[in-house]
Amino acid sequence: MAKTEAQAKKEAQAEFDALSEPLKKSVNGVVEDFSSADNDQWVIDRTNIILYEANEKWSQDRAENYPPMVDFVEAYTEKEIGSDDTKWNAYKTAYEKVRTDYPKPS
């Protein structure tokens, strides 16, 4: 499901508030607690990650998981020239599985 920036920020803030211990950072080998500005930046960064995962990641996941183009060309050629649609049907099944596994946000 698609998310707005306000929804993502609320979710990120809730995650931050639920942390059991304060976040730490290492500066020149010295470990110290996050400052207020560091905490604010963490929420901004987490908000951006949540927005990406909710609204854009599906596109990358689909691109990485679609069957190879070579499979498409071979299946289509065999269907059109050789009148054998076995590979074409398998390709369509694999293609639709990716679309089902990584749906567009609504």
Side-chain angles (χ1 to χ4, degrees), residues 15 22 24 34 93:
E15 286 180 24
K24 307 266 187 202
F34 267 26
T93 300

Side-chain angles (χ1 to χ4, degrees), residues 3 11 22 24 40 42 48 50 69 72 74 87 94 106:
K3 290 188 180 179
E11 185 177 329
K24 307 266 187 202
D40 293 343
W42 186 94
N48 290 333
I50 291 168
M69 196 60 149
F72 170 82
E74 184 176 331
K87 287 184 180 179
S106 52

Side-chain angles (χ1 to χ4, degrees), residues 11-103:
E11 185 177 329
Q13 188 64 55
E15 286 180 24
F16 181 81
D17 293 343
L19 294 173
S20 59
E21 295 184 22
L23 295 172
K24 307 266 187 202
K25 64 181 178 180
S26 177
V27 179
N28 297 326
V30 177
V31 176
E32 53 190 52
D33 287 342
F34 267 26
S35 67
S36 178
D38 293 327
N39 292 338
D40 293 343
Q41 187 61 52
W42 186 94
V43 172
I44 291 168
D45 293 343
R46 184 65 187 131
T47 298
N48 290 333
I49 291 168
I50 291 168
L51 282 171
Y52 169 75
E53 290 175 346
N55 301 335
E56 300 174 36
K57 189 170 184 308
W58 67 271
S59 178
Q60 180 181 351
D61 289 339
R62 279 189 181 185
E64 292 172 356
N65 289 285
Y66 275 136
M69 196 60 149
V70 166
D71 291 357
F72 170 82
V73 171
E74 184 176 331
Y76 183 79
T77 303
E78 287 190 16
K79 178 178 86 104
E80 292 298 314
I81 296 174
S83 298
D84 181 3
D85 65 354
T86 305
K87 287 184 180 179
W88 179 252
N89 292 335
Y91 177 86
K92 286 192 324 186
T93 300
Y95 178 87
E96 288 301 325
K97 181 178 183 331
V98 171
R99 291 175 60 92
T100 301
D101 289 350
Y102 306 102

